[in-house]
mmCIF file of all heavy atoms in Angstrom:
data_model
loop_
_atom_site.group_PDB
_atom_site.id
_atom_site.type_symbol
_atom_site.label_atom_id
_atom_site.label_comp_id
_atom_site.label_asym_id
_atom_site.label_seq_id
_atom_site.Cartn_x
_atom_site.Cartn_y
_atom_site.Cartn_z
ATOM 1 N N HIS A 1 0.830 -1.205 0.000
ATOM 2 C CA HIS A 1 0.000 0.000 0.000
ATOM 3 C C HIS A 1 0.867 1.258 0.000
ATOM 4 O O HIS A 1 0.591 2.217 -0.734
ATOM 5 C CB HIS A 1 -0.925 -0.008 1.226
ATOM 6 C CG HIS A 1 -1.715 1.248 1.378
ATOM 7 N ND1 HIS A 1 -2.762 1.583 0.548
ATOM 8 C CD2 HIS A 1 -1.584 2.285 2.269
ATOM 9 C CE1 HIS A 1 -3.259 2.748 0.919
ATOM 10 N NE2 HIS A 1 -2.559 3.201 1.953
ATOM 11 N N ILE A 2 1.915 1.261 0.811
ATOM 12 C CA ILE A 2 2.810 2.430 0.889
ATOM 13 C C ILE A 2 3.524 2.643 -0.437
ATOM 14 O O ILE A 2 3.633 3.781 -0.926
ATOM 15 C CB ILE A 2 3.841 2.245 2.028
ATOM 16 C CG1 ILE A 2 3.138 2.205 3.384
ATOM 17 C CG2 ILE A 2 4.855 3.385 2.007
ATOM 18 C CD1 ILE A 2 4.063 1.854 4.542
ATOM 19 N N GLU A 3 4.003 1.560 -1.045
ATOM 20 C CA GLU A 3 4.702 1.673 -2.337
ATOM 21 C C GLU A 3 3.799 2.291 -3.403
ATOM 22 O O GLU A 3 4.225 3.165 -4.166
ATOM 23 C CB GLU A 3 5.188 0.295 -2.789
ATOM 24 C CG GLU A 3 6.343 -0.247 -1.957
ATOM 25 C CD GLU A 3 6.695 -1.678 -2.307
ATOM 26 O OE1 GLU A 3 5.850 -2.361 -2.946
ATOM 27 O OE2 GLU A 3 7.781 -2.135 -1.938
ATOM 28 N N ASN A 4 2.543 1.850 -3.432
ATOM 29 C CA ASN A 4 1.590 2.399 -4.398
ATOM 30 C C ASN A 4 1.289 3.872 -4.109
ATOM 31 O O ASN A 4 1.146 4.686 -5.032
ATOM 32 C CB ASN A 4 0.290 1.593 -4.385
ATOM 33 C CG ASN A 4 0.469 0.197 -4.962
ATOM 34 O OD1 ASN A 4 1.316 -0.013 -5.835
ATOM 35 N ND2 ASN A 4 -0.305 -0.760 -4.478
ATOM 36 N N GLU A 5 1.211 4.202 -2.825
ATOM 37 C CA GLU A 5 0.916 5.579 -2.434
ATOM 38 C C GLU A 5 2.058 6.519 -2.840
ATOM 39 O O GLU A 5 1.824 7.620 -3.343
ATOM 40 C CB GLU A 5 0.699 5.637 -0.916
ATOM 41 C CG GLU A 5 0.065 6.931 -0.436
ATOM 42 C CD GLU A 5 -0.239 6.895 1.051
ATOM 43 O OE1 GLU A 5 -0.013 5.840 1.688
ATOM 44 O OE2 GLU A 5 -0.695 7.914 1.582
ATOM 45 N N VAL A 6 3.288 6.080 -2.624
ATOM 46 C CA VAL A 6 4.453 6.893 -3.008
ATOM 47 C C VAL A 6 4.510 7.072 -4.522
ATOM 48 O O VAL A 6 4.797 8.163 -5.020
ATOM 49 C CB VAL A 6 5.756 6.247 -2.495
ATOM 50 C CG1 VAL A 6 6.978 6.940 -3.088
ATOM 51 C CG2 VAL A 6 5.812 6.308 -0.976
ATOM 52 N N ARG A 7 4.197 6.009 -5.242
ATOM 53 C CA ARG A 7 4.207 6.078 -6.704
ATOM 54 C C ARG A 7 3.157 7.068 -7.209
ATOM 55 O O ARG A 7 3.401 7.851 -8.138
ATOM 56 C CB ARG A 7 3.952 4.700 -7.303
ATOM 57 C CG ARG A 7 4.104 4.646 -8.830
ATOM 58 C CD ARG A 7 3.895 3.230 -9.366
ATOM 59 N NE ARG A 7 4.884 2.306 -8.844
ATOM 60 C CZ ARG A 7 4.611 1.342 -7.967
ATOM 61 N NH1 ARG A 7 3.367 1.185 -7.511
ATOM 62 N NH2 ARG A 7 5.557 0.536 -7.545
ATOM 63 N N LYS A 8 1.996 7.065 -6.568
ATOM 64 C CA LYS A 8 0.899 7.922 -6.999
ATOM 65 C C LYS A 8 1.132 9.381 -6.611
ATOM 66 O O LYS A 8 0.917 10.297 -7.416
ATOM 67 C CB LYS A 8 -0.416 7.419 -6.378
ATOM 68 C CG LYS A 8 -1.633 8.234 -6.777
ATOM 69 C CD LYS A 8 -2.898 7.672 -6.137
ATOM 70 C CE LYS A 8 -4.118 8.515 -6.502
ATOM 71 N NZ LYS A 8 -5.352 7.986 -5.852
ATOM 72 N N GLU A 9 1.565 9.631 -5.387
ATOM 73 C CA GLU A 9 1.672 10.998 -4.885
ATOM 74 C C GLU A 9 3.008 11.670 -5.207
ATOM 75 O O GLU A 9 3.060 12.874 -5.446
ATOM 76 C CB GLU A 9 1.439 11.024 -3.368
ATOM 77 C CG GLU A 9 0.036 10.623 -2.964
ATOM 78 C CD GLU A 9 -0.234 10.903 -1.491
ATOM 79 O OE1 GLU A 9 0.543 11.638 -0.858
ATOM 80 O OE2 GLU A 9 -1.232 10.350 -0.980
ATOM 81 N N LEU A 10 4.098 10.894 -5.200
ATOM 82 C CA LEU A 10 5.426 11.487 -5.392
ATOM 83 C C LEU A 10 6.070 11.094 -6.719
ATOM 84 O O LEU A 10 7.166 11.565 -7.034
ATOM 85 C CB LEU A 10 6.359 11.076 -4.234
ATOM 86 C CG LEU A 10 5.891 11.444 -2.832
ATOM 87 C CD1 LEU A 10 6.903 10.979 -1.794
ATOM 88 C CD2 LEU A 10 5.673 12.951 -2.708
ATOM 89 N N HIS A 11 5.402 10.217 -7.487
ATOM 90 C CA HIS A 11 5.915 9.763 -8.785
ATOM 91 C C HIS A 11 7.302 9.121 -8.648
ATOM 92 O O HIS A 11 8.200 9.351 -9.463
ATOM 93 C CB HIS A 11 5.951 10.922 -9.777
ATOM 94 C CG HIS A 11 4.630 11.601 -9.953
ATOM 95 N ND1 HIS A 11 3.626 11.096 -10.758
ATOM 96 C CD2 HIS A 11 4.132 12.740 -9.391
ATOM 97 C CE1 HIS A 11 2.573 11.894 -10.692
ATOM 98 N NE2 HIS A 11 2.850 12.881 -9.877
ATOM 99 N N VAL A 12 7.446 8.329 -7.594
ATOM 100 C CA VAL A 12 8.690 7.610 -7.335
ATOM 101 C C VAL A 12 8.375 6.125 -7.242
ATOM 102 O O VAL A 12 7.467 5.723 -6.511
ATOM 103 C CB VAL A 12 9.350 8.083 -6.017
ATOM 104 C CG1 VAL A 12 10.571 7.228 -5.701
ATOM 105 C CG2 VAL A 12 9.738 9.552 -6.108
ATOM 106 N N ASP A 13 9.103 5.311 -8.003
ATOM 107 C CA ASP A 13 8.932 3.854 -7.907
ATOM 108 C C ASP A 13 9.752 3.371 -6.719
ATOM 109 O O ASP A 13 10.975 3.231 -6.809
ATOM 110 C CB ASP A 13 9.404 3.183 -9.194
ATOM 111 C CG ASP A 13 8.401 3.325 -10.317
ATOM 112 O OD1 ASP A 13 7.351 2.669 -10.240
ATOM 113 O OD2 ASP A 13 8.656 4.107 -11.249
ATOM 114 N N LEU A 14 9.064 3.119 -5.617
ATOM 115 C CA LEU A 14 9.723 2.763 -4.360
ATOM 116 C C LEU A 14 9.602 1.273 -4.072
ATOM 117 O O LEU A 14 8.534 0.684 -4.222
ATOM 118 C CB LEU A 14 9.102 3.559 -3.206
ATOM 119 C CG LEU A 14 9.624 3.270 -1.801
ATOM 120 C CD1 LEU A 14 11.080 3.692 -1.674
ATOM 121 C CD2 LEU A 14 8.772 3.976 -0.750
ATOM 122 N N VAL A 15 10.729 0.683 -3.661
ATOM 123 C CA VAL A 15 10.747 -0.716 -3.201
ATOM 124 C C VAL A 15 11.125 -0.687 -1.723
ATOM 125 O O VAL A 15 12.145 -0.105 -1.350
ATOM 126 C CB VAL A 15 11.759 -1.556 -3.995
ATOM 127 C CG1 VAL A 15 11.837 -2.963 -3.411
ATOM 128 C CG2 VAL A 15 11.380 -1.610 -5.468
ATOM 129 N N ILE A 16 10.297 -1.317 -0.885
ATOM 130 C CA ILE A 16 10.518 -1.296 0.562
ATOM 131 C C ILE A 16 10.946 -2.674 1.056
ATOM 132 O O ILE A 16 10.303 -3.686 0.754
ATOM 133 C CB ILE A 16 9.244 -0.852 1.314
ATOM 134 C CG1 ILE A 16 8.854 0.567 0.898
ATOM 135 C CG2 ILE A 16 9.457 -0.909 2.819
ATOM 136 C CD1 ILE A 16 7.562 1.069 1.547
ATOM 137 N N HIS A 17 12.041 -2.685 1.802
ATOM 138 C CA HIS A 17 12.500 -3.912 2.460
ATOM 139 C C HIS A 17 11.917 -3.931 3.884
ATOM 140 O O HIS A 17 12.031 -2.957 4.624
ATOM 141 C CB HIS A 17 14.025 -3.942 2.517
ATOM 142 C CG HIS A 17 14.573 -5.063 3.338
ATOM 143 N ND1 HIS A 17 14.661 -6.361 2.872
ATOM 144 C CD2 HIS A 17 15.062 -5.088 4.607
ATOM 145 C CE1 HIS A 17 15.177 -7.127 3.803
ATOM 146 N NE2 HIS A 17 15.433 -6.389 4.870
ATOM 147 N N TYR A 18 11.306 -5.028 4.233
ATOM 148 C CA TYR A 18 10.650 -5.158 5.545
ATOM 149 C C TYR A 18 11.649 -5.612 6.600
ATOM 150 O O TYR A 18 12.256 -6.677 6.488
ATOM 151 C CB TYR A 18 9.479 -6.133 5.405
ATOM 152 C CG TYR A 18 8.926 -6.706 6.697
ATOM 153 C CD1 TYR A 18 8.683 -5.898 7.801
ATOM 154 C CD2 TYR A 18 8.620 -8.072 6.796
ATOM 155 C CE1 TYR A 18 8.172 -6.434 8.972
ATOM 156 C CE2 TYR A 18 8.098 -8.614 7.951
ATOM 157 C CZ TYR A 18 7.885 -7.791 9.048
ATOM 158 O OH TYR A 18 7.374 -8.306 10.204
ATOM 159 N N ASP A 19 11.826 -4.793 7.639
ATOM 160 C CA ASP A 19 12.688 -5.133 8.771
ATOM 161 C C ASP A 19 11.825 -5.396 10.010
ATOM 162 O O ASP A 19 11.236 -4.458 10.571
ATOM 163 C CB ASP A 19 13.655 -3.979 9.093
ATOM 164 C CG ASP A 19 14.892 -3.999 8.222
ATOM 165 O OD1 ASP A 19 15.134 -5.018 7.582
ATOM 166 O OD2 ASP A 19 15.599 -2.980 8.171
ATOM 167 N N PRO A 20 11.710 -6.658 10.448
ATOM 168 C CA PRO A 20 10.943 -6.928 11.670
ATOM 169 C C PRO A 20 11.737 -6.498 12.908
ATOM 170 O O PRO A 20 12.940 -6.764 13.007
ATOM 171 C CB PRO A 20 10.749 -8.450 11.630
ATOM 172 C CG PRO A 20 11.892 -8.951 10.811
ATOM 173 C CD PRO A 20 12.232 -7.882 9.824
ATOM 174 N N VAL A 21 11.081 -5.811 13.823
ATOM 175 C CA VAL A 21 11.739 -5.320 15.033
ATOM 176 C C VAL A 21 11.071 -5.961 16.252
ATOM 177 O O VAL A 21 9.848 -5.907 16.405
ATOM 178 C CB VAL A 21 11.635 -3.786 15.140
ATOM 179 C CG1 VAL A 21 12.261 -3.288 16.440
ATOM 180 C CG2 VAL A 21 12.302 -3.127 13.944
ATOM 181 N N VAL A 22 11.904 -6.569 17.113
ATOM 182 C CA VAL A 22 11.382 -7.170 18.352
ATOM 183 C C VAL A 22 11.141 -6.049 19.363
ATOM 184 O O VAL A 22 12.064 -5.317 19.735
ATOM 185 C CB VAL A 22 12.372 -8.196 18.929
ATOM 186 C CG1 VAL A 22 11.847 -8.768 20.240
ATOM 187 C CG2 VAL A 22 12.631 -9.310 17.918
ATOM 188 N N THR A 23 9.907 -5.887 19.763
ATOM 189 C CA THR A 23 9.560 -4.767 20.659
ATOM 190 C C THR A 23 9.228 -5.210 22.083
ATOM 191 O O THR A 23 9.052 -4.364 22.961
ATOM 192 C CB THR A 23 8.344 -4.005 20.083
ATOM 193 O OG1 THR A 23 7.246 -4.925 19.931
ATOM 194 C CG2 THR A 23 8.681 -3.386 18.737
ATOM 195 N N ASP A 24 9.126 -6.534 22.330
ATOM 196 C CA ASP A 24 8.719 -7.003 23.660
ATOM 197 C C ASP A 24 9.865 -7.671 24.423
ATOM 198 O O ASP A 24 9.647 -8.465 25.327
ATOM 199 C CB ASP A 24 7.529 -7.964 23.541
ATOM 200 C CG ASP A 24 7.826 -9.151 22.618
ATOM 201 O OD1 ASP A 24 8.940 -9.184 22.057
ATOM 202 O OD2 ASP A 24 6.937 -10.003 22.460
ATOM 203 N N ASP A 25 11.122 -7.349 24.051
ATOM 204 C CA ASP A 25 12.296 -7.891 24.731
ATOM 205 C C ASP A 25 12.877 -6.788 25.621
ATOM 206 O O ASP A 25 13.469 -5.817 25.125
ATOM 207 C CB ASP A 25 13.329 -8.355 23.704
ATOM 208 C CG ASP A 25 14.598 -8.915 24.347
ATOM 209 O OD1 ASP A 25 14.683 -8.936 25.590
ATOM 210 O OD2 ASP A 25 15.510 -9.306 23.596
ATOM 211 N N ALA A 26 12.702 -6.931 26.936
ATOM 212 C CA ALA A 26 13.116 -5.884 27.877
ATOM 213 C C ALA A 26 14.612 -5.608 27.793
ATOM 214 O O ALA A 26 15.045 -4.454 27.749
ATOM 215 C CB ALA A 26 12.724 -6.276 29.299
ATOM 216 N N GLU A 27 15.429 -6.668 27.764
ATOM 217 C CA GLU A 27 16.883 -6.489 27.690
ATOM 218 C C GLU A 27 17.296 -5.851 26.365
ATOM 219 O O GLU A 27 18.140 -4.946 26.333
ATOM 220 C CB GLU A 27 17.583 -7.846 27.851
ATOM 221 C CG GLU A 27 19.107 -7.810 27.693
ATOM 222 C CD GLU A 27 19.827 -7.014 28.786
ATOM 223 O OE1 GLU A 27 19.173 -6.615 29.771
ATOM 224 O OE2 GLU A 27 21.041 -6.789 28.650
ATOM 225 N N GLY A 28 16.678 -6.311 25.281
ATOM 226 C CA GLY A 28 16.990 -5.752 23.964
ATOM 227 C C GLY A 28 16.632 -4.275 23.878
ATOM 228 O O GLY A 28 17.405 -3.472 23.350
ATOM 229 N N ASN A 29 15.465 -3.912 24.435
ATOM 230 C CA ASN A 29 15.041 -2.516 24.418
ATOM 231 C C ASN A 29 15.984 -1.647 25.246
ATOM 232 O O ASN A 29 16.332 -0.526 24.847
ATOM 233 C CB ASN A 29 13.611 -2.385 24.943
ATOM 234 C CG ASN A 29 12.590 -3.002 23.995
ATOM 235 O OD1 ASN A 29 12.871 -3.183 22.810
ATOM 236 N ND2 ASN A 29 11.409 -3.324 24.514
ATOM 237 N N ALA A 30 16.387 -2.178 26.399
ATOM 238 C CA ALA A 30 17.286 -1.417 27.282
ATOM 239 C C ALA A 30 18.647 -1.202 26.616
ATOM 240 O O ALA A 30 19.210 -0.095 26.663
ATOM 241 C CB ALA A 30 17.456 -2.145 28.614
ATOM 242 N N MET A 31 19.171 -2.232 25.969
ATOM 243 C CA MET A 31 20.472 -2.111 25.315
ATOM 244 C C MET A 31 20.391 -1.191 24.088
ATOM 245 O O MET A 31 21.329 -0.452 23.795
ATOM 246 C CB MET A 31 20.988 -3.486 24.898
ATOM 247 C CG MET A 31 21.393 -4.388 26.071
ATOM 248 S SD MET A 31 22.549 -3.559 27.202
ATOM 249 C CE MET A 31 23.893 -3.131 26.099
ATOM 250 N N ARG A 32 19.253 -1.255 23.397
ATOM 251 C CA ARG A 32 19.085 -0.367 22.244
ATOM 252 C C ARG A 32 19.169 1.088 22.684
ATOM 253 O O ARG A 32 19.863 1.906 22.067
ATOM 254 C CB ARG A 32 17.750 -0.634 21.546
ATOM 255 C CG ARG A 32 17.525 0.251 20.303
ATOM 256 C CD ARG A 32 16.142 0.081 19.696
ATOM 257 N NE ARG A 32 15.965 -1.246 19.140
ATOM 258 C CZ ARG A 32 15.180 -2.169 19.668
ATOM 259 N NH1 ARG A 32 14.523 -1.932 20.798
ATOM 260 N NH2 ARG A 32 15.055 -3.346 19.097
ATOM 261 N N GLU A 33 18.470 1.419 23.763
ATOM 262 C CA GLU A 33 18.483 2.802 24.259
ATOM 263 C C GLU A 33 19.869 3.195 24.767
ATOM 264 O O GLU A 33 20.305 4.338 24.596
ATOM 265 C CB GLU A 33 17.440 2.963 25.372
ATOM 266 C CG GLU A 33 15.998 2.825 24.894
ATOM 267 C CD GLU A 33 15.674 3.777 23.755
ATOM 268 O OE1 GLU A 33 16.055 4.963 23.860
ATOM 269 O OE2 GLU A 33 15.066 3.329 22.761
ATOM 270 N N MET A 34 20.560 2.246 25.376
ATOM 271 C CA MET A 34 21.902 2.530 25.894
ATOM 272 C C MET A 34 22.872 2.842 24.755
ATOM 273 O O MET A 34 23.652 3.792 24.821
ATOM 274 C CB MET A 34 22.424 1.343 26.715
ATOM 275 C CG MET A 34 23.816 1.598 27.330
ATOM 276 S SD MET A 34 24.408 0.200 28.312
ATOM 277 C CE MET A 34 23.242 0.263 29.685
ATOM 278 N N VAL A 35 22.815 2.009 23.691
ATOM 279 C CA VAL A 35 23.697 2.236 22.548
ATOM 280 C C VAL A 35 23.363 3.564 21.860
ATOM 281 O O VAL A 35 24.246 4.308 21.441
ATOM 282 C CB VAL A 35 23.613 1.059 21.554
ATOM 283 C CG1 VAL A 35 24.405 1.369 20.284
ATOM 284 C CG2 VAL A 35 24.128 -0.218 22.187
ATOM 285 N N LYS A 36 22.068 3.894 21.764
ATOM 286 C CA LYS A 36 21.662 5.181 21.181
ATOM 287 C C LYS A 36 22.273 6.339 21.960
ATOM 288 O O LYS A 36 22.760 7.321 21.383
ATOM 289 C CB LYS A 36 20.133 5.301 21.181
ATOM 290 C CG LYS A 36 19.433 4.567 20.055
ATOM 291 C CD LYS A 36 17.940 4.851 20.103
ATOM 292 C CE LYS A 36 17.202 4.150 18.979
ATOM 293 N NZ LYS A 36 15.739 4.417 19.039
ATOM 294 N N GLU A 37 22.230 6.220 23.275
ATOM 295 C CA GLU A 37 22.785 7.272 24.131
ATOM 296 C C GLU A 37 24.300 7.389 23.928
ATOM 297 O O GLU A 37 24.839 8.497 23.853
ATOM 298 C CB GLU A 37 22.473 6.958 25.599
ATOM 299 C CG GLU A 37 22.977 8.019 26.562
ATOM 300 C CD GLU A 37 22.706 7.663 28.015
ATOM 301 O OE1 GLU A 37 21.918 6.722 28.260
ATOM 302 O OE2 GLU A 37 23.282 8.315 28.897
ATOM 303 N N ILE A 38 24.969 6.244 23.815
ATOM 304 C CA ILE A 38 26.428 6.243 23.632
ATOM 305 C C ILE A 38 26.818 6.922 22.323
ATOM 306 O O ILE A 38 27.704 7.783 22.296
ATOM 307 C CB ILE A 38 26.969 4.799 23.679
ATOM 308 C CG1 ILE A 38 26.882 4.245 25.102
ATOM 309 C CG2 ILE A 38 28.423 4.750 23.184
ATOM 310 C CD1 ILE A 38 27.197 2.764 25.197
#
């Protein structure tokens, strides 16, 4: 849907790669924020 929307509104042929993100891992979330801060 997003690819079609970009093509229609912005006249750009967009290809999107899907990256799944684990959001319910407490340790992973904590380390992600720590690395961002660093």
Side-chain angles (χ1 to χ4, degrees):
H1 174 72
I2 295 173
E3 289 173 343
N4 290 330
E5 194 175 357
V6 170
R7 187 178 298 110
K8 181 179 178 181
E9 295 190 14
L10 302 180
H11 304 280
V12 175
D13 283 288
L14 177 66
V15 175
I16 299 177
H17 172 79
Y18 163 45
D19 276 346
V21 177
V22 178
T23 58
D24 56 358
D25 179 359
E27 176 66 9
N29 292 339
M31 290 308 303
R32 181 186 294 109
E33 293 305 315
M34 182 179 292
V35 173
K36 280 184 179 179
E37 182 182 347
I38 289 171

